Structures are given as structure tokens and as C-alpha cells.
Amino acid sequence: MAADLATAYRAGELAEFIRLRAGDTAAALAETRPDIDRAALAAALRAYHHDLGTLDAHSEAALTQLAHPASRVVVTGQQAGLLTGPAYSVHKGAGAALLASELHTEDVPVVAVYWIASQDHDAAEVASTTLLDHSEKLHHLTLDVPEGVPVGRVAWRPDWTEQVMALLDAFDAPKEYVAAVRARVERALAAGGSYADVFARLIHGLLAPAGLLVLDPLHPALARLMAPTLARELERPLESSARIEAAAAALERRGFVPQLRRPAGATNLFIEEEDGQRRLLRLEGRTFETETRSYAKADLLAVLDADPSRLTPAAGLRPTVQDALLPTAAFVVGPGEIAYGAQLKEVYPLHGLAQPLLWPRLSVTWLEPNVARLLRRLNATAAQVQADPEGVLGRSLAQERQAGAVTAERLSALDADLHALTAEIAALDPTLEGAAARTRTRTTARVAHLQMLAARALARQENDRSGQLTRLKDHLLPNGTPQEREMNFLTYLLKHGETPLKLLLKRPAGWRGEVEIP
């Protein structure tokens, strides 16, 4: 139900769950964050970019703005996906940069920050990626990333480099564009480091010219700045979970399905244990437990003191930790994150904070020239194809062949005839009105179903001949998933050079729609 919550938020219907109304940037910027030592924050980020090898003119300019005593931040973030992961990972960063640019003034500089979820330990979420070449061949690469280990601790391996380069070598696209992307990837790999470091360098390379700063919360200098928030959470470790559960109950009363649940005893903290595995902390009385061992609060405080990067927030606390570190004005989020945000409004006050503005992310479906032409012939949008590819193609073919049996007009005419017949029967015997109406409803629904089956049969027949349906699906529903959530953004750079990136950065912040690549 995340999409329903996102729709409700954009419509202004979640005021009791999310503090600021969608789009209210004036209210967000009117608030100040004098509690943040911006000089220390900028210094920590400078140390991170130095170690990452990305301390260039772009990051220096952004760091200078961040150090301004009145600076604010537009933050977004994502898991460290393979080769930038699904396209929306890049779209989110672009949207943050665009919004920061729109809000920026000389008196109140606004900086875009990309929070890399390097603490995340779900390998299945980041180990794979999908690209589509000019020959309409889907390339799907999966690396054997270890499960349970934060990706910021996973060293990038030479055999992974070989697999990535083999994919690029096999990719059918103009040689000059492939060479340019290959150079991007080689730069990201050159300095070595972790799986998250490679992702960070790729995002930096794409979006730093637009003003985006990348941030890895596992970097020692940044982790040290977050330690006070985590120590504060240890003082009342179940209170944030209780507030999340209270919000979940309230959402259920409104008919929504909450995204977050916190079972009894579950905190919003993970610890990275001696074996490298990241495990959730539960509280039993006064003792914290994982599946492997127990900790007193003093033990966890000692961990924070010795290596604060080992204690990390769960999803219910991560935005609060993020916004305690940064002078956040707006948080650029996807539908699932809006659903999370609807449960976190009351977590922020536990740390003396107020929830920032949630800004629905920029969303793009890319239309390559051949797909754009096909959609025009079908008189359909990409969204319609994603919802029902067989139906869209089948109905278009039926129209071309003047097969009126599957048209909405024919169904409407049948329903009108049945409605009139129902009325005539009811006039003869009122006790039959209900049965007649039910028969009309069932008949119309059954015929609509048969129309759907017939249209899909036409689509499959045409696909056997021309491959149109397969082409539409590969472009717009690769592996059965909407393009933006599956296709790697590098697909479009490999085939069309820098044009898609330039088109992306010309969108308004928060824009949603289809972009045709010339």
C-alpha cells in the first residue's frame, strides 16, 4: 500500500502522519538548524571525499556552501546498487540536485546530498543489474555479494571487475558511447575500496557537476558525528519502536497498510559484530541481545566510543540519524519512503528534531526512438503498456483490423441493451429486478473478460510475427518490472551518449513522466 500512501500524501491527506504538507518548501526553509556545527560536518565530508578520491572542484564548491552558517540540505539516498543500480537511483540524485538548485540563495545556500546506504546488509538488493543493448538483448549481471555484511565493508573484487568489463564488451551500442561509459566505470574502480565506494564514485561522476555531494555514513569521520544520536537512542531504546507501532495502528484505522512493524523487544539499532555480520539489537529487560550474544548498555556505549560505525540505525531510525547530522530542509523520497515517513513523525522529537519536508522524487520513464514510434502507433503511453502490455497491443491491432468485437464501445452498447432489458423485466415483475441486475453485471463482466482474452491473443499472434510485444516489455517492463525500478541508467548512456543525462537535468524537481530520447 506504499503507493496509496504516496498518493494520499501528494493529495494533502496525511497531515496527521507527516509534519509538512507536500511541496511546502517555504515552511521547510523558514526553519533553522543552529544546533549543527556545519564546519565540522563539512570537514568530515571533505575527509570522506579525499579518501574516496572525489575531492574535486565540484565537491569543494559544494562543501564551501555547506560550511555557510545558514546552509540547508536537500538529501536523498539509496542502496549501493551494482553500476548505479536501477535507474531511479540516479533519478533521485538528479531530483535532489534540481531541488537544491531551485531553493538555493546567496543568503541561504542549499546543498544536495546523496546518502549512500552503505550500512545496509541485504546483498540481494544490490548484487544485480539489468541493461538493454541496441540488439534488444537484455544483459543481467549478478555478483556474489556476501549476505549479512554491510556493503560498505565488502571489498570490491578483481573478478567482479572482469565480469563488469565482459558485460560492457558484449554490449551492442556505438563504440564511442561504450568507451565513454567504460571510462566512467574504470575511474570508479581505479581507487579500489568497497562495493559502496564504487557506487559512490559513479554517482559522483554523473551528478557532482549538478552540485550533488555523496555521503557514506560508515566513513569514520562521519560516523563519529552521528555517535551522539545513537547514544541518545540507547537511553530509551524501545520508545522509537513504540511510536512507530502507534503510527502503524493509526494508519490501519485509516485503511492503510503500514510499511514498518516493530515486534516486541525490537530496537531500531543494529550492531556489526566481530564476525562482520550486521544484526538487530533486541532488548530483554536491561540486556541487549542479538542471535549470538548479549550486551549491556555500557558495552554498546564502549563500541560507540571505539568505533561508532559499528552501531547503525534500522529503517525506523535512519532518517532521524540522517537529519540529526545534516541541516535538512527536504528529503527526496520514493513511494516506499513516504510510507515509512508516515510512521516517523513522532520519532524525531525523541532527538530534539522535527521531521523535514518529504519531497516525492523525480520519476522518468525513458522512451528510446523505436519505442516512442511504436507507442505513437498504438496511441498509448508507457504507463498504459506497463499496466497491460498485451491488452494495449491487442486493442490497437483490433482497431487496425476493424475488429469491433473487442472495443469498449461494443461493450458499452451491450451493457446499455442489458440495462434496458433489466428495466423492462422489472416493470413486468418488480421481484425480478435484483436478479436481472445481477445477471446484467455478470454478463457484462464476462464479455469484458472475453474481450481481454481475445485482445491478448491478437497481441501474442503479432508478437510471434514481429516481436513487438517482447520489444515493448524489454524496454518498459524488463524482467516483468517497471523500467525505472529495473533498468540501469547506464543503458541510456551506452546507447545515446550524454544526451539522457542532459535531458534528466533539465526536468523540474519532482517531475514525473515520460522522456523521449531523440
Side-chain angles (χ1 to χ4, degrees):
M1 294 291 288
D4 290 337
L5 279 163
T7 300
Y9 174 61
R10 286 193 294 268
E13 298 172 5
L14 292 180
E16 66 184 286
F17 298 102
I18 298 176
R19 191 176 69 91
L20 296 178
R21 294 176 66 88
D24 195 352
T25 55
L29 288 173
E31 300 170 352
T32 59
R33 289 295 301 279
D35 56 306
I36 289 179
D37 185 342
R38 289 163 169 81
L41 173 61
L45 271 166
R46 181 172 283 105
Y48 165 61
H49 277 268
H50 176 271
D51 293 346
L52 189 65
T54 53
L55 190 59
D56 55 18
H58 299 301
S59 52
E60 284 284 14
L63 288 167
T64 298
Q65 292 179 344
L66 184 62
H68 188 285
S71 70
R72 303 300 301 277
V73 159
V74 172
V75 63
T76 193
Q78 192 57 41
Q79 293 159 306
L82 176 57
L83 293 177
T84 72
Y88 74 83
S89 297
V90 176
H91 298 167
K92 288 174 84 173
L98 291 165
L99 181 59
S101 178
E102 289 181 16
L103 300 180
H104 175 85
T105 65
E106 186 175 339
D107 292 335
V108 182
V110 182
V111 179
V113 171
Y114 198 110
W115 183 287
I116 297 161
S118 60
Q119 301 162 331
D120 192 89
H121 60 281
D122 189 349
E125 293 285 340
V126 299
S128 300
T129 197
T130 298
L131 301 97
L132 179 68
D133 70 13
H134 263 318
S135 301
E136 309 290 343
K137 179 182 177 181
L138 277 174
H139 298 259
H140 188 74
L141 177 62
T142 300
L143 303 180
D144 56 335
V145 180
E147 189 66 50
V149 180
V151 294
R153 306 292 195 203
V154 176
W156 185 271
R157 295 180 352 210
D159 60 307
W160 293 345
T161 297
E162 293 175 7
Q163 292 176 65
V164 167
M165 293 308 173
L167 183 154
L168 295 177
D169 290 342
F171 197 90
D172 178 24
K175 291 182 179 179
E176 65 271 26
Y177 297 153
V178 174
V181 171
R182 189 185 181 102
R184 281 188 184 276
V185 174
E186 287 173 341
R187 285 194 296 272
L189 295 172
S194 73
Y195 199 89
D197 288 339
V198 171
F199 175 86
R201 293 188 193 107
L202 285 169
I203 293 294
H204 172 86
L206 289 168
L207 297 174
L212 187 75
L213 274 174
V214 292
L215 183 158
D216 184 340
L218 283 181
H219 188 271
L222 291 160
R224 183 64 60 187
L225 293 180
M226 291 182 282
T229 305
L230 299 171
R232 191 181 305 112
E233 184 73 7
L234 286 171
E235 295 300 318
R236 301 169 65 189
L238 295 181
E239 183 60 30
S240 58
S241 295
R243 296 190 180 196
I244 289 168
E245 277 299 297
L251 285 169
E252 287 178 328
R253 289 193 293 272
R254 284 279 303 273
F256 295 107
V257 176
Q259 285 283 94
L260 281 173
R261 300 313 301 246
R262 307 309 295 154
T267 74
N268 278 295
L269 293 168
F270 281 89
I271 186 167
E272 185 181 337
E273 297 193 293
E274 287 77 2
D275 62 357
Q277 294 287 301
R278 182 175 182 246
R279 297 185 175 96
L280 182 69
L281 286 165
R282 299 176 180 274
L283 188 65
E284 301 287 343
R286 294 188 178 184
T287 302
F288 294 86
E289 308 274 355
T290 68
E291 304 98 282
T292 62
R293 59 164 293 185
S294 301
Y295 301 86
K297 184 173 75 172
D299 298 329
L300 297 176
L301 290 172
V303 169
L304 266 181
D305 184 60
D307 182 0
S309 68
R310 286 183 55 204
L311 200 65
T312 54
L317 185 64
R318 196 200 66 77
T320 304
V321 173
Q322 163 193 284
D323 300 326
L325 176 70
L326 303 172
T328 305
F331 184 15
V332 175
V333 290
E337 292 161 312
I338 291 174
Y340 279 13
Q343 293 180 249
L344 303 183
K345 176 183 173 183
E346 298 305 324
V347 174
Y348 279 85
L350 294 173
H351 295 272
L353 300 172
Q355 186 181 43
L357 175 67
L358 300 186
W359 183 273
R361 68 170 173 83
L362 180 151
S363 178
V364 174
T365 298
W366 296 100
L367 305 183
E368 297 189 69
N370 59 338
V371 174
R373 289 192 297 270
L374 182 53
L375 287 175
R376 281 193 286 272
R377 185 170 76 79
L378 298 176
N379 192 29
T381 66
Q384 289 170 333
V385 170
Q386 288 171 334
D388 183 15
E390 290 86 356
V392 166
L393 178 57
R395 286 189 294 272
S396 176
L397 291 168
Q399 186 174 14
E400 286 180 3
R401 300 176 189 184
Q402 297 182 328
V406 299
T407 63
E409 291 79 10
R410 189 69 176 271
L411 184 65
S412 180
L414 172 63
D415 187 60
D417 286 344
L418 290 172
H419 189 275
L421 182 59
T422 298
E424 291 175 21
I425 289 172
L428 295 173
D429 185 349
T431 66
L432 297 176
E433 182 175 8
R438 289 190 294 274
T439 300
R440 168 201 160 207
T441 300
R442 286 195 300 268
T443 301
T444 304
R446 183 58 183 163
V447 172
H449 180 69
L450 292 172
Q451 285 185 320
M452 178 193 71
L453 293 178
R456 291 183 175 184
L458 277 176
R460 288 191 295 272
Q461 293 166 14
E462 176 63 22
N463 193 56
D464 290 341
R465 185 185 69 82
S466 66
Q468 285 186 2
L469 182 60
T470 297
R471 184 177 304 113
L472 281 171
K473 286 183 175 181
D474 284 348
H475 280 266
L476 302 177
L477 276 172
N479 300 320
T481 302
Q483 179 198 96
E484 192 179 32
R485 302 193 65 82
E486 177 73 13
M487 194 77 79
N488 193 300
F489 182 75
L490 296 185
T491 284
Y492 308 106
L493 302 189
L494 283 160
K495 290 192 279 186
H496 305 282
E498 296 295 296
T499 296
L501 182 59
K502 293 175 181 177
L503 290 173
L504 178 64
L505 292 172
K506 288 180 180 178
R507 303 298 104 189
W511 189 87
R512 301 165 61 83
E514 301 168 8
V515 176
E516 186 171 339
I517 302 172

